[in-house]
Amino acid sequence: MKTMLRYDFTYLWKTFKFVVMGGLGFFLAGLSVLTARFMPEIFRLAFADSDIIIDLPDPTVMDAYEQFFSNFTDLFVIVVIFLMVAFFTRDETAGHAPLIFSKPLRRRNYILTKSLWMVVTVFATLLMSGLVFMYYTAFLFDGLDMARFMLSLFALGVFIIFLLHIALFFTVWTKTYLAPVGLTFLVFLLVFSLLNMLQRGVFRFFPNQLMRYPLRYLQGEVSGGVLWATIAIAIGLSAGLLLATIAKFEEKELA
Amino acid sequence: MSLLSIKGLTKDFKALRALDDLSLEVQRNEVYGFIGRNGAGKTTTINIIMGLLHGDGGEIYLDGEPVDMHDINHRRRIGYVPDVPAFPRYLKAREFLRFACEAHEIDPTQHEARIETVLRDVGLEAGDRKIGTFSRGMKQRLAIAQALVHKPELLIMDEPTSALDPIGRKDVLDIIARLKNTMTVFYSTHILDDAQKVCDRIGLIDRGKLLLEASVASIMRRDKTFRYYVEAENDADDVLKKLKAIDLVREAFIEAHGITFEVASQEALKDVVRTLVDADVSMTTLTRKAKTLEDVFIEVLDENHA
């Protein structure tokens, strides 16, 4: 396990994956606060020479939250899917697999390591981005609720991890990079969007809801209990996907 | 007891039978040449031994112990050189070798010494360079180094010379020659000349079946043909015409600057030479052409496809 942890860390470090994810998180976090704070001014400047009168209410901390979660559930998730599927499939697509798996390394550990680094990278990036966001928000807005924001951030992290475990599961069924990327986007854009229309009964606890619950929780529209239950279900399903991935990968032909 | 034993190995890729009841025995400390044309089943066999593919039937034994795809322990005793080794381009050679040391659970205090030794053994001086900058020959040397770093009992090499230029090929063959008697080498190739140079025994595979398994020496001893090469001051076409006119000559054809011909016996050669001299052929060279592994290969394939 230690060998694979170091091997994967070297890949993430030397191919600048940490830097790209960290940089993107930092950028989106800062951008979210600034966009929310200065949106009225931006609009006023944009329409300064026209007769249109722009009268927007003063932005609040809720606008900052909204910008943050909208940026992270759209742009950040898309970039992370591309980066992480490359991380999962690289050894096979680049032909490293025969050299790696001809050594006494357990396939189970190989998948566990990928999952572990994915969790660490996503949560570390979100934590850093959250800190950047809170720092600027505390300066520019009143009423920042750090505890609720951190729980929302955690819920977002769990959602991204769930989505990436779906991607990881797809990678063991194919031998290419594009197939799991395409299938994951299909789930993300189509299946989740359809499920998002269903807001009643058990559908309230489906992991796809974590796309919107973090913000709705901050807005007071979703209770802590529902959020925690949805988080728990997403973690459970991620664990199930991980076990299914390992079982499939144990039998996968790698040549 | 054999170090590696394969019994009745079968593998299908959909409708294609890649391995068909393949059985072979590799003795300890020998260089075993696994010979066959492209697509004969060599790489498939090796991939199953290494646990990269499933076999559909049959068994593999390493030192009498059955080899299972999910059992990683037998891989501690094997070093593997793939046909086209692909390394992470962002790593330095030394870093990949350190990864190999860790994967084989070698005592960390020994890593650097082991790395130095294998780099020296394979003649790779660019240990601190990124693998992405390596030539194909350098990658092949690194592939051998990473396969030797844990001092395996069995070294499996899948066509290690097929993609190399003549100098690279010679270097790899020199490495195999140096390893002789220090470990068992299972060496797959379709370059028969290479196999003849370094192998003790060969197994000839075609369409997933083992057609022949014998020592190189015994194959050469079985050479009962009397094939000769002659060069003369006369015109080669004229000499060929004269040779073909002699009843004792079975076959004759122009090759290089002379003519290769075959007779039934040593005695027959004397009569042929006498006839040529009487016909005013002034010979400058007359040598016996020993049968090569290539000749055996073609013969065996012809017999089996007849």
Side-chain angles (χ1 to χ4, degrees):
Chain A
M1 188 87 173
K2 221 167 66 181
T3 307
M4 283 318 304
L5 280 171
R6 194 168 297 146
Y7 174 79
D8 280 341
F9 173 81
T10 310
Y11 167 76
L12 292 166
W13 179 254
K14 290 206 172 195
T15 59
F16 305 103
K17 298 289 183 290
F18 287 136
V19 177
V20 172
M21 279 183 65
L24 182 68
F26 185 92
F27 172 74
L28 290 178
L31 185 72
S32 303
V33 189
L34 296 174
T35 311
R37 174 66 188 81
F38 296 108
M39 191 54 82
E41 278 80 358
I42 293 167
F43 269 97
R44 261 179 233 122
L45 279 173
F47 294 97
D49 296 333
S50 73
D51 296 332
I52 301 165
I53 298 163
I54 302 291
D55 188 19
L56 292 172
D58 283 343
T60 67
V61 72
M62 286 299 161
D63 296 307
Y65 290 149
E66 201 173 333
Q67 281 294 334
F68 181 89
F69 285 104
S70 133
N71 282 339
F72 274 80
T73 48
D74 295 340
L75 196 60
F76 185 75
V77 168
I78 290 168
V79 174
V80 164
I81 288 172
F82 278 112
L83 290 181
M84 283 293 145
V85 172
F87 173 50
F88 302 150
T89 57
R90 193 188 150 74
D91 287 327
E92 277 189 76
T93 55
H96 308 151
L99 274 179
I100 292 172
F101 293 104
S102 59
K103 297 185 169 35
L105 295 168
R106 293 194 187 282
R107 291 183 178 206
R108 179 190 61 208
N109 290 352
Y110 179 83
I111 295 293
L112 283 174
T113 307
K114 299 275 179 223
S115 172
L116 194 65
W117 274 120
M118 172 227 296
V119 171
V120 168
T121 311
V122 167
F123 276 109
T125 306
L126 286 182
L127 181 65
M128 191 207 70
S129 310
L131 291 174
V132 170
F133 174 81
M134 286 192 291
Y135 178 78
Y136 285 108
T137 305
F139 268 115
L140 297 172
F141 295 99
D142 294 326
L144 173 70
D145 186 336
M146 289 212 309
R148 286 177 81 86
F149 176 73
M150 288 306 279
L151 178 57
S152 292
L153 199 60
F154 177 68
L156 173 68
V158 171
F159 170 72
I160 295 172
I161 295 303
F162 173 68
L163 195 59
L164 291 178
H165 275 101
I166 292 174
L168 182 61
F169 179 71
F170 285 141
T171 60
V172 292
W173 290 89
T174 60
K175 290 194 172 189
T176 62
Y177 168 70
L178 285 178
V181 167
L183 289 168
T184 309
F185 275 115
L186 193 73
V187 170
F188 178 50
L189 299 175
L190 196 69
V191 180
F192 281 11
S193 299
L194 289 172
L195 285 171
N196 280 346
M197 292 178 195
L198 306 166
Q199 296 287 326
R200 287 166 184 244
V202 290
F203 292 111
R204 286 189 305 147
F205 303 103
F206 273 33
N208 60 292
Q209 301 294 354
L210 291 177
M211 275 175 82
R212 302 189 305 181
Y213 278 2
L215 182 62
R216 291 181 64 197
Y217 172 69
L218 287 164
Q219 290 166 338
E221 292 173 13
V222 169
S223 70
V226 171
L227 185 64
W228 273 113
T230 314
I231 288 172
I233 288 167
I235 291 173
L237 288 174
S238 298
L241 280 167
L242 182 59
L243 291 176
T245 305
I246 290 170
K248 174 67 186 163
F249 193 64
E250 290 276 7
E251 301 301 323
K252 189 174 186 182
E253 299 208 317
L254 294 169
Chain B
M1 188 196 287
S2 311
L3 180 65
L4 178 69
S5 175
I6 296 176
K7 294 186 193 304
L9 196 62
T10 305
K11 175 72 182 172
D12 294 321
F13 291 112
K14 292 182 182 159
L16 175 76
R17 175 143 289 195
L19 295 179
D20 188 1
D21 197 24
L22 179 82
S23 298
L24 58 85
E25 302 282 334
V26 180
Q27 306 301 326
R28 200 175 277 277
N29 283 344
E30 73 174 355
V31 178
Y32 185 99
F34 194 40
I35 296 170
R37 296 186 283 196
N38 290 331
K42 304 185 295 293
T43 301
T44 302
T45 307
I46 289 174
N47 284 337
I48 295 173
I49 298 170
M50 296 313 303
L52 301 170
L53 288 179
H54 296 278
D56 293 328
E59 281 119 29
I60 300 170
Y61 297 90
L62 184 67
D63 213 5
E65 294 288 318
V67 169
D68 177 71
M69 185 191 186
H70 301 105
D71 177 18
I72 58 169
N73 284 320
H74 75 274
R75 288 182 222 150
R76 296 182 203 285
R77 302 168 67 182
I78 303 177
Y80 168 59
V81 181
D83 50 350
V84 185
F87 296 93
R89 296 172 58 83
Y90 51 87
L91 288 181
K92 292 173 183 170
R94 227 173 253 282
E95 289 172 327
F96 191 84
L97 291 173
R98 209 166 288 132
F99 162 73
C101 286
E102 286 174 11
H104 285 286
E105 294 171 2
I106 296 168
D107 178 1
T109 59
Q110 291 182 22
H111 285 188
E112 290 312 310
R114 290 276 186 103
I115 291 167
E116 283 306 323
T117 305
V118 289
L119 284 174
R120 194 181 55 238
D121 287 351
V122 301
L124 188 63
E125 289 163 2
D128 291 313
R129 255 173 63 187
K130 278 198 179 163
I131 303 170
T133 65
F134 278 17
S135 67
R136 197 173 275 185
M138 290 165 85
K139 282 184 190 161
Q140 199 62 262
R141 284 166 193 265
L142 179 60
I144 298 172
Q146 62 82 36
L148 294 175
V149 80
H150 58 294
K151 299 180 181 170
E153 289 167 64
L154 172 63
L155 177 65
I156 295 180
M157 306 174 95
D158 189 4
E159 308 221 18
T161 56
S162 60
L164 300 180
D165 60 28
I167 293 167
R169 255 176 69 190
K170 184 186 174 300
D171 290 345
V172 171
L173 292 176
D174 287 347
I175 293 168
I176 298 172
R178 282 201 300 274
L179 292 172
K180 238 179 180 176
N181 300 321
T182 63
M183 66 179 64
T184 309
V185 181
F186 184 79
Y187 166 53
S188 117
T189 185
H190 65 264
I191 305 171
L192 301 166
D193 193 35
D194 291 354
Q196 196 168 349
K197 278 178 192 155
V198 293
C199 295
D200 300 309
R201 286 200 317 135
I202 59 150
L204 204 162
I205 183 176
D206 192 53
R207 297 180 187 174
K209 280 188 175 189
L210 198 74
L211 303 181
L212 172 78
E213 191 174 51
S215 72
V216 173
S218 73
I219 288 171
M220 294 303 130
R221 274 200 303 273
R222 277 200 305 214
D223 183 4
K224 301 289 185 215
T225 58
F226 294 93
R227 186 170 276 212
Y228 297 90
Y229 175 75
V230 63
E231 277 184 19
E233 286 174 359
N234 312 52
D235 178 52
D237 287 327
D238 185 38
V239 177
L240 178 67
K241 217 177 280 173
K242 283 174 177 161
L243 272 167
K244 281 186 169 175
I246 303 169
D247 288 343
L248 295 165
V249 174
R250 286 178 173 176
E251 188 191 5
F253 53 89
I254 290 181
E255 190 178 16
H257 303 293
I259 296 117
T260 295
F261 65 96
E262 195 178 318
V263 289
S265 66
Q266 195 93 37
E267 289 306 308
L269 175 72
K270 285 179 191 167
D271 292 338
V272 169
V273 170
R274 207 170 295 129
T275 311
L276 287 177
V277 171
D278 290 346
D280 291 332
V281 174
S282 132
M283 288 176 277
T284 53
T285 305
L286 178 65
T287 52
R288 184 169 178 193
K289 285 189 78 176
K291 189 186 267 188
T292 62
L293 212 48
E294 194 168 329
D295 299 323
V296 176
F297 183 79
I298 292 164
E299 269 175 33
V300 173
L301 288 189
D302 285 348
E303 279 168 22
N304 278 275
H305 296 160

